[in-house]
Amino acid sequence: MSKQEITLSVNGATHELHVEPRTLLVTALREELGYTGANVGCETARCGACTVRVNGDAIKSCMQFAVQLDGAEIETVEGLAEDGNLAPLQAQFQAHHGLQCGFCTPGMLMTADTYLKDAENPSREEIREAIEGNLCRCTGYHNIVDAIEATLTEGAPTNE
Amino acid sequence: MYANDFEYYRATSVAEAVELLVSNEGAEPMAGSHGLLPRMRTGEEAPPVLVDINGIDGLRSIEETEAGLSIGALTTHAEIARSELVQTHAPALAVAAQAVGDIQVRNGGSIGGNLAHGDPRADLPAAVLALGGSVSVTGPDGSSSIDATELFHGDFKTEVGDHEIVTAVEIPVAANTASTYVKYRNPLSGYPLIGVGTWVQTDDGGETIEAARVAATGNLVRSMRLEEVENALIGSAVDKSTIDAAVAEAAVDEELYRQDPQASAAYCNHLLAVRTAEALDTVLAIETN
Ligand SMILES: Cc1cc2nc3c(=O)[nH]c(=O)nc-3n(C[C@H](O)[C@H](O)[C@H](O)COP(=O)(O)OP(=O)(O)OC[C@H]3O[C@@H](n4cnc5c(N)ncnc54)[C@H](O)[C@@H]3O)c2cc1C
Ligand code: FES
Ligand code: FES
């Protein structure tokens, strides 16, 4: 089928690309544009490893065709750090051992980062619910919830 | 597996979308793609042409009308769940929208797509049926309305025509009413094994049930109203014995359940009775112990 020309803004940079209509957003990000942060796990919108932000909302990028998002603003995990410094949430994941193999981490961070934008004093239960669309095979989630909670209460980790 | 190759068109108006559906054999509309894409992946569907309707302005809003609420077809589950208008006037729909998948899926899927997909497991149909809702559709012959009771044919088929676009979902609003949705999740898929939507209207004193609608979704062949349960409620007093009598009617014939080796009809009927009781306890505000 004829390729479509689309424009995607990724972490503020504008990209024009030609894609087959059936190209998934995650494939376009990884293979066409080199943003390999979003991982491909299940490809069926279950695991959340491919989560990115689209126009401000967390979305599983394996469940969208790139053509649907012509003109959209995409944010990926690569855009979280500023000037080479980990964002507070990322630093808290590090401080609390919120990752082991790290495969789920980019998606987990994008879901949690989006959630934190308007979370007010959530309980641990609410934090768990907020990340229910992201599976982690390693950590058992406790440390991830700790990291998210700590970001809310103290921002970046305080030096001990 | 890759989705099948397809021809892609982006419509910028409802009229253009209808025109594209008419002029392209086998064309289907595409909203959030969260229903289409998984089925294209497995080969269960292979539409040769997709008409993307996401670029159509004016289909993504929640408005109060004279009759109630009008919700644009492209409004996402997340937007519906957090809408104060929906929470206030159509609580069953807010609860059902919040029960869909997870936050990413709720940001991706639309109410129009959820209803037009005709997936018998979907959550929103039970809420829309219980609330007495309808969908507005536009096709080559103009616009019309389809009542929710006519909408779901089962097996991913609906009353929406091949060349029609769902533009909005209409929910009537009336005084002295309460509604809710109760879901028992299939732990594997996240979809409801059984979901029950309930709506009741009482007299001014809140003593007698004047009207009631109860609907179920999940492992059924299609989302459906439970008329026996409704009949047990209508005209009865707001009390525990009414709920008991209604719950006793909450059973569906075996052939109306899909074959599922993990969940027999008897088990599903048990879930149906328990969830119906829970839903009725909530809408009739009766404490259980
Ligand atoms: C991992 C996952 C979990 C999910 N969990 C749940 C759940 O728990 N409960 C639940 O209810 N749903 C669930 N869903 C479904 C999802 O939430 C959407 O409701 C569903 O995918 C359909 O909405 P859509 O906007 O994505 O439609 P699409 O996938 O774009 O379209 C679905 C169908 O509807 C048609 N269509 C779409 N919009 C219109 C329109 N305006 N007019 C006419 N036809 C139209 C399309 O042609 C297609 O046939 C889940 C989906 C995924 C991927
Ligand atoms: S790869 Fe997208 S959710 Fe698993
Ligand atoms: S750290 Fe390995 S899957 Fe989460």
Side-chain angles (χ1 to χ4, degrees):
Chain A
M1 295 285 158
S2 60
K3 288 196 171 183
Q4 298 277 321
E5 186 179 329
I6 60 166
T7 307
L8 295 179
S9 152
V10 185
N11 303 329
T14 303
H15 299 273
E16 282 180 9
L17 57 165
H18 286 81
V19 289
E20 272 190 8
R22 64 172 170 173
T23 307
L24 302 175
L25 174 60
V26 69
T27 315
L29 287 172
R30 291 178 60 89
E31 290 170 27
E32 303 283 330
L33 300 176
Y35 293 94
T36 53
N39 281 330
V40 179
C42 64
E43 285 199 298
T44 52
R46 305 255 163 237
C47 75
C50 66
T51 302
V52 300
R53 212 155 31 223
V54 174
N55 298 328
D57 292 326
I59 290 267
K60 292 171 179 173
S61 58
C62 69
M63 247 331 106
Q64 304 271 274
F65 295 110
V67 285
Q68 282 172 284
L69 299 167
D70 184 26
E73 294 199 7
I74 318 281
E75 292 165 83
T76 69
V77 71
E78 285 94 338
L80 288 185
E82 269 179 54
D83 306 323
N85 298 316
L86 293 183
L89 178 67
Q90 291 172 304
Q92 290 289 12
F93 265 65
Q94 184 181 44
H96 287 88
H97 305 284
L99 62 151
Q100 287 176 31
C101 79
F103 193 83
C104 70
T105 313
M108 199 63 92
L109 286 168
M110 294 313 289
T111 302
D113 189 64
T114 312
Y115 174 67
L116 288 177
K117 287 187 190 301
D118 31 42
E120 286 167 23
N121 244 328
S123 63
R124 288 180 73 82
E125 203 42 49
E126 285 167 331
I127 293 174
R128 280 181 174 269
E129 243 167 60
I131 56 167
E132 70 181 329
N134 293 77
L135 304 183
C136 176
R137 280 287 162 95
C138 303
T139 64
Y141 301 99
H142 294 288
N143 294 351
I144 292 175
V145 177
D146 288 347
I148 296 171
E149 211 172 25
T151 309
L152 271 168
T153 52
E154 61 185 43
T158 45
N159 284 330
E160 278 139 30
Chain B
M1 188 166 142
Y2 281 97
N4 64 284
D5 227 343
F6 58 88
E7 198 103 42
Y8 172 83
Y9 294 102
R10 186 178 304 125
T12 53
S13 69
V14 174
E16 188 188 0
V18 170
E19 172 60 38
L20 285 164
L21 292 176
V22 169
S23 55
N24 289 283
E25 178 80 29
E28 270 196 59
M30 171 164 63
S33 69
H34 277 53
L36 272 173
L37 223 169
R39 287 171 62 78
M40 287 167 70
R41 272 261 171 64
T42 55
E44 289 161 292
E45 274 186 64
V49 179
L50 286 177
V51 177
D52 188 344
I53 61 172
N54 289 292
I56 303 178
D57 282 338
L59 294 187
R60 196 166 167 179
S61 60
I62 301 173
E63 279 159 25
E64 268 185 293
T65 62
E66 254 169 56
L69 296 181
S70 181
I71 303 173
L74 292 177
T75 312
T76 65
H77 307 320
E79 287 162 347
I80 291 168
R82 64 173 173 256
S83 156
E84 278 179 28
L85 275 178
V86 181
Q87 288 168 8
T88 308
H89 298 297
L93 187 59
V95 175
Q98 179 65 29
V100 170
D102 49 54
I103 184 61
Q104 295 98 311
V105 171
R106 291 194 290 278
N107 285 331
S110 66
I111 185 169
N114 193 280
L115 300 180
H117 198 36
D119 186 338
R121 305 168 301 169
D123 286 295
L124 302 203
V128 174
L129 280 166
L131 291 164
S134 59
V135 296
S136 302
V137 298
T138 298
D141 304 326
S143 299
S144 58
S145 169
I146 304 171
D147 195 88
T149 50
E150 309 289 318
L151 192 54
F152 308 108
H153 296 181
D155 197 24
F156 298 89
K157 294 182 185 68
T158 68
E159 188 66 18
V160 179
D162 288 346
H163 301 152
E164 286 179 334
I165 296 285
V166 174
T167 54
V169 180
E170 313 292 340
I171 305 288
V173 169
N176 302 332
T177 60
S179 71
T180 197
Y181 176 74
V182 178
K183 171 173 183 173
Y184 184 77
R185 263 176 188 240
N186 178 327
L188 179 62
S189 73
Y191 279 86
L193 204 44
I194 285 291
V196 179
T198 310
W199 172 93
V200 292
Q201 182 170 38
T202 63
D203 60 352
D204 286 339
E207 282 165 12
T208 309
I209 301 167
E210 292 195 329
R213 289 186 220 101
V214 180
T217 197
N219 253 25
L220 296 155
V221 292
R222 62 188 158 77
S223 310
M224 61 182 74
R225 292 262 298 270
L226 303 177
E227 279 163 27
E228 284 88 356
V229 181
E230 297 174 357
N231 291 337
L233 293 167
I234 297 165
S236 302
V238 175
D239 62 26
K240 190 80 184 87
S241 63
T242 295
I243 293 182
D244 291 343
V247 169
E249 300 296 332
V252 169
D253 288 345
E254 190 167 349
E255 66 265 21
L256 290 175
Y257 281 111
R258 293 198 309 280
Q259 296 282 336
D260 180 349
Q262 290 169 334
S264 67
Y267 173 58
C268 289
N269 268 335
H270 170 73
L271 292 176
L272 182 65
V274 174
R275 305 303 136 178
T276 302
E278 204 179 305
L280 290 175
D281 284 339
T282 302
V283 291
L284 297 172
I286 289 174
E287 297 292 324
T288 41
N289 39 31

